[in-house]
Amino acid sequence: MSNISAIVAGIAFVTLAAANVVVMLEASWPSRSITTRSRLIAVHRLGGYLFVILLCIMAYSMSQRLAGLGITGHLPTHLVLHIALVLVLVPLLLLKILIARRYKHSGSSLKALGIAIFVISFALVSIPTLSELLRSASPGSLGLRLATGLVVVVCIVQCALVFKERKHSWASMESRIPEIPPRATALTNRESAKDPMNLLLAQTEQLTHDTKTLRFQVPKERRFRAKPGQFLTFQWTIDGRRVTRSYTISSSPIHEDYVEITPKRIENGCASLFLNDRAKPSLIVEASGPYGQFYFDETVHKSIVLIAAGSGITPMISMLRYIDDLKLATAVTLLYCVRTAADIIFQSELARLERSLPNFKYEVCLSQPDLPWKGHSGRLTGKFVSQHLIDVISPTFFVCGPKGFMDNARQILSTLGVKQDRILQESFGESKRPTEFRPQEAPAVNTAVFLHSQKVCQVSAGCTLLDLAEKNGVQIPYGCRQGVCGTCATRVLSGTVEMDVEAGLTAEQKNAGYVLPCVSRTSGTVVVAA
């Protein structure tokens, strides 16, 4: 390899190392979409392959040059250092490849290795170049002055960048201090609620005797982004009547062109009967969202335990599909409780995921087992849970199912020593009060004062605050209308309000006097900040 070729190869070598570090840091930003992150990871992988190929070429060229020099005795110091850097670089590259392939959740280790590889690559190229320049250049020559000036300029630029970054960090910290909204996701949810989308039913698939998956095509102009475990709120038109229902997304959110839900057929359930018996491809429905705080985040949850009953498997399957699509190394245990073997939803999909994901295992428990069933039977018990969990301290627990099931699961986990802040549960919005309203139990006259809108309204029997606001032109953003998403959270300044469901409120919001107008009814006179 000629001197010019060696210089070009050295510049390309260092540039590839620097570019790989930049791409890796860009891909690690939480705000990146799944598609963008996947593309950046692909670019980073391609750059890594080119870097390894170029290293092999340069190492071969260096060995040939050393052999041609015919050096006897001790090697010059700069050549010894050059060889030592190569010997350090090779195992670092192998270690980085191993971690990237087997331990994808170790993002901080990959960043540290990438930066170390860049530093060593820069030294590998610059040390022989500078030593040759210093050896051949005469004192005061132009080349020596340019090299010295370049080093000084690089140092000044680096100092300036560090100082600027520190100022920016302090400024961003100060800008975050003043005012914190009552709910971190309120603005995101409200923006989504104001911008509903029309989904086209593309296909259906029967999973069990009473469960069907419906795949909807997302409009091409809409960038649909969800987190695994969140839900959508649909506005169905059934027999000329508008029906609002929320359904968990069962597909992996990595697919931005379609979304799937898996409703279970419930007798006397208006929407579930329509979706399982009458919904056909080409149906168009309006949907808003996604909503919900019940979701998996790979940057936070390093190991998870999923505990589901019946159709509570839907958010869990979304999480598992997401983990499989991104080939994450997250350790996952699923405990799934159903009545009979015929009620196991996603049975073939769970078997496929168990083969595909090395860190995934699941157990099914039947409360009414069939005769040939050889697995676990009965209801969810502490013995069943502890039997399949080695560690109850580090995982995050996701619980989804009927209210009684979730209460039992939470009590079992607490008994096993699981802290309450590590237990997340999905609420289906069960009412805490009878579904049939009795007018005679309500006060004779209820009044709601919407302070910001300057409106005083009489409340009719059984009317929620959100219904009353809509009838009188008071704008309150909403999402699920079931007290789950928290989009409509509004502060009550005075008076008494009874809520059917409180799942959509955080503890801070409850303490600050916030309510969910979609499931709230007044008692006497109330003043609302709306």
Side-chain angles (χ1 to χ4, degrees), residues 278-401:
R278 298 163 53 188
K280 304 295 181 184
S282 75
L283 170 71
I284 297 177
V285 60
E286 182 183 293
S288 60
Y291 304 114
Q293 301 303 304
F294 184 85
Y295 58 81
F296 165 72
D297 183 349
E298 68 271 24
T299 63
V300 177
H301 308 128
K302 303 306 179 185
S303 64
I304 58 176
V305 176
L306 312 176
I307 302 178
S311 59
I313 190 67
T314 50
M316 313 306 192
I317 203 71
S318 178
M319 298 177 192
L320 290 169
R321 286 169 165 171
Y322 177 81
I323 292 171
D324 183 48
D325 285 338
L326 293 185
K327 303 301 178 186
L328 301 177
T330 309
V332 188
T333 300
L334 168 65
L335 303 179
Y336 186 26
C337 300
V338 291
R339 286 194 299 271
T340 67
D343 295 308
I344 302 175
I345 308 174
F346 301 110
Q347 186 171 16
S348 59
E349 179 75 348
L350 289 172
R352 182 194 71 81
L353 288 167
E354 188 176 38
R355 295 190 299 269
S356 176
L357 295 172
N359 297 322
F360 169 56
K361 61 179 181 178
Y362 77 99
E363 295 291 338
V364 176
C365 183
L366 303 185
S367 60
Q368 301 174 16
D370 305 311
L371 193 59
W373 178 254
K374 297 180 180 179
H376 296 274
S377 60
R379 299 190 178 277
L380 186 72
T381 62
K383 180 180 178 181
F384 174 63
V385 174
S386 59
Q387 189 176 1
H388 297 95
L389 293 183
I390 300 175
D391 178 20
V392 296
I393 303 301
S394 56
T396 300
F397 292 79
F398 291 85
V399 183
C400 187

Side-chain angles (χ1 to χ4, degrees), residues 79-240:
L79 288 180
V80 174
L81 183 58
H82 200 217
I83 295 171
L85 288 174
V86 172
L87 294 177
V88 171
L89 188 60
V90 170
L92 283 179
L93 280 171
L94 292 176
L95 181 61
K96 185 173 184 291
I97 292 171
L98 175 63
I99 292 177
R101 292 291 183 184
R102 298 287 299 173
Y103 308 101
K104 295 180 175 64
H105 62 286
S106 303
S108 57
S109 300
L110 290 175
K111 293 175 188 176
L113 284 171
I115 294 172
I117 290 171
F118 166 70
V119 172
I120 294 174
S121 303
F122 183 80
L124 187 65
V125 172
S126 61
I127 286 176
T129 304
L130 289 175
S131 63
E132 182 67 22
L133 180 63
L134 292 173
R135 186 175 61 83
S136 60
S138 58
S141 64
L142 179 61
L144 186 59
R145 290 179 179 178
L146 288 175
T148 305
L150 180 62
V151 172
V152 172
V153 169
V154 170
C155 292
I156 293 174
V157 170
Q158 288 178 338
C159 292
L161 288 174
V162 170
F163 180 72
K164 181 179 179 181
E165 180 66 24
R166 182 166 295 182
K167 284 183 64 179
H168 176 71
S169 299
W170 279 107
S172 62
M173 285 178 63
E174 291 173 358
S175 64
R176 288 196 297 266
I177 291 175
E179 188 173 338
I180 301 175
R183 191 181 185 97
T185 59
L187 290 178
T188 304
N189 285 340
R190 292 182 181 185
E191 289 171 3
S192 300
K194 291 180 181 178
D195 189 19
M197 55 186 169
N198 289 324
L199 301 178
L200 173 66
L201 180 58
Q203 65 183 63
T204 64
E205 179 186 3
Q206 194 75 38
L207 295 185
T208 68
H209 62 97
D210 61 354
T211 308
K212 180 180 288 188
T213 288
L214 292 83
R215 174 177 291 190
F216 294 89
Q217 182 178 335
V218 178
K220 293 182 179 180
E221 65 275 7
R222 176 68 178 257
R223 290 185 60 84
F224 178 72
R225 295 178 182 176
K227 296 177 180 178
Q230 290 187 308
F231 63 90
L232 292 174
T233 297
F234 296 84
Q235 302 293 336
W236 309 102
T237 301
I238 303 175
D239 298 330

